[in-house]
Amino acid sequence: MDEAKVLSLFERLALIESPSWHEAEMAQACAAELRALGFQVRFDGSAPATGSDTGNLIATRAGDAPGEVMFSAHMDTVKPCAGIQVSRVQDERGDVLCSAGETILSADDKAGITAIFEGIRTYLESGRPTPGICVLLTTCEEQSLLGSGALCAEDVPQGVDCFVLDADGSPGSVIVAAPCHLTMRARIQGRSAHAGVEPEAGVSAIEVAARAIADMELGRLDEATTANVGTIGGGVATNIVADACTLEGECRSLDRTRAEEVRAQMTDAITEACREKGATADVSWVLDYPEVSFSEESPIIQRFRRAAEACGLPFAMIRTGGGADANNLNDKGVHAVTLGVGMASFHTTHEHIKVSDLMDDVRLVEALIAEYASA
């Protein structure tokens, strides 16, 4: 493994501006890298559904060993991502890569993509027997996993073990449980009136929304469940009783039944507040992605553990409150887990990753390929 090659690739990918819905340039760069490694590359038809300027990238390479393994990461980033400059510094954090300007670094998830490409490259250069390898690079992951959500099951190998390199834990960590995510959108309809002359004639949709929110159980509800109202908007002027108000919120849980209970409670709070004040509401919910859970005894977890130990990395199982493409992939016939890659302070201009973690990510991909070559 050549550290200079790894860092050079990471910087080249980081310099490509690829915010959600605008991943086409990044997709073409990744396609070129994969074709150079002997992969057949194609793009699925998800673009119309996601609104991206490209589909998900799906690449396959036949092996000369009986096993098969899949790796995944996402091509989009959050903003600000225009004009990224990568800086390597040594400070109290260690030897780290960070943004040299007022942008993100885009280690989320270009560190994951770099590790996949360089891990595959290093393994192939060793000349060892190679399993079949599939690489999936998705669009719009940062937008409630739109790209993987629009992926068709027939576009990915069924029953294969997939490692999604897209979490903030140290290399050697694996997310074994992640919640389902339900999103709420509600529009409350009241009645306008002059706020100074005849407020009694109006029904304030904002007041109704406030009452409803006050009656909701929000925050951390138990060790597996959270709920939140994230946006509220309505009204046109201070002297008019607001006739409309919109709310957006969510609930998450590792337990689908519990998530449904919270969804019902939040909806009931809106319905009851409307009934009390004479308003109406249109409340809709969408399941953005399902929950995922693996036990320590699961074959994919055991194989990952062997690969991590082969690299000398401490194995750790993590439960999280966030989602990743693995949530959707498990719903499409793939056995998928998300791996920690060491990214830190992601989604901020302070984002960084240790050089040693990035190199360990590459070694871990290489070790996983070796593990599946012996299947």
Side-chain angles (χ1 to χ4, degrees):
M1 178 175 54
D2 187 326
E3 181 179 291
K5 283 186 177 180
V6 175
L7 298 184
S8 176
L9 176 61
F10 175 77
E11 183 168 4
R12 291 203 310 275
L13 297 179
L15 294 181
I16 300 172
E17 188 177 350
S18 58
S20 302
W21 297 297
H22 299 281
E23 301 96 339
E25 184 181 356
M26 179 67 178
Q28 290 306 314
C30 291
E33 292 286 335
L34 287 161
R35 288 188 181 109
L37 292 170
F39 282 79
Q40 298 293 316
V41 179
R42 61 187 178 87
F43 293 91
D44 73 0
S46 62
T50 63
S52 174
D53 54 7
T54 184
N56 296 307
L57 185 158
I58 304 164
T60 55
R61 189 183 192 280
D64 53 14
E68 186 174 18
V69 65
M70 181 174 172
F71 298 99
S72 182
H74 63 88
M75 297 182 287
D76 64 319
T77 73
V78 298
K79 295 180 179 181
C81 58
I84 291 174
Q85 296 179 8
V86 179
S87 178
R88 182 173 181 175
V89 301
Q90 293 192 4
D91 55 23
E92 68 279 358
R93 299 170 296 184
D95 185 8
V96 303
L97 302 175
C98 58
S99 169
E102 297 302 315
T103 68
I104 60 167
L105 175 64
S106 75
D108 179 17
D109 193 20
K110 292 177 182 178
I113 294 175
T114 298
I116 292 169
F117 290 177
E118 288 300 316
I120 292 172
R121 188 190 318 278
T122 301
Y123 187 89
L124 294 177
E125 288 175 350
S126 73
R128 288 173 284 176
T130 305
I133 303 174
C134 178
V135 175
L136 168 67
L137 303 180
T138 63
T139 64
C140 299
E141 189 273 350
E142 300 290 2
Q143 307 301 322
S144 296
L145 317 182
L146 284 178
S148 60
L151 183 74
C152 292
E154 55 265 28
D155 282 329
V156 289
Q158 297 295 288
V160 71
D161 286 353
C162 177
F163 299 93
V164 181
L165 281 78
D166 185 27
D168 60 340
S170 299
S173 61
V174 56
I175 293 175
V176 294
C180 62
H181 181 271
L182 290 85
T183 298
M184 176 193 75
R185 291 177 176 83
R187 177 179 173 83
I188 297 171
Q189 188 65 52
R191 185 170 59 252
S192 63
H194 193 288
V197 176
E198 52 175 358
E200 302 87 355
V203 175
S204 172
I206 291 177
E207 180 186 358
V208 174
R211 290 193 178 207
I213 294 171
D215 287 340
M216 293 179 187
E217 296 181 36
L218 302 175
R220 184 168 298 284
L221 307 185
D222 55 56
E223 64 177 10
T225 310
T226 61
N228 184 56
V229 173
T231 71
I232 179 172
V236 293
T238 60
N239 63 347
I240 301 175
V241 175
D243 68 344
C245 184
T246 58
L247 300 177
E248 292 182 324
E250 66 165 40
C251 62
R252 308 179 185 220
S253 185
L254 299 174
D255 181 338
R256 179 73 67 87
T257 300
R258 177 69 171 121
E260 298 287 354
E261 291 173 353
V262 175
R263 179 179 73 171
Q265 191 275 332
M266 293 174 74
T267 300
D268 288 347
I270 296 172
T271 301
E272 181 60 21
C274 286
R275 187 192 65 78
E276 291 178 359
K277 298 295 292 183
T280 59
D282 179 15
V283 183
S284 64
W285 287 86
V286 174
L287 174 65
D288 292 307
Y289 48 82
E291 68 281 2
V292 60
S293 179
F294 288 91
S295 70
E296 185 173 0
E297 293 73 31
S298 299
I300 188 173
I301 301 301
Q302 288 300 307
R303 302 197 78 162
F304 172 75
R305 181 171 193 160
R306 288 197 293 270
E309 290 174 347
C311 296
L313 298 173
F315 168 76
M317 297 190 303
I318 297 173
R319 290 159 57 99
T320 182
D325 282 334
N327 290 64
N328 280 330
L329 293 176
N330 278 285
D331 202 42
K332 298 178 186 295
V334 176
H335 303 146
V337 293
T338 307
L339 307 184
V341 298
M343 63 180 81
S345 300
F346 55 97
H347 292 194
T348 77
T349 57
H350 303 293
E351 182 184 11
H352 61 278
I353 186 171
K354 292 182 180 179
V355 171
S356 60
D357 282 347
L358 184 56
M359 302 308 292
D360 283 341
D361 294 333
V362 175
R363 294 194 302 117
L364 186 52
V365 169
E366 185 180 1
L368 283 165
I369 297 172
E371 169 67 27
Y372 283 82
S374 62

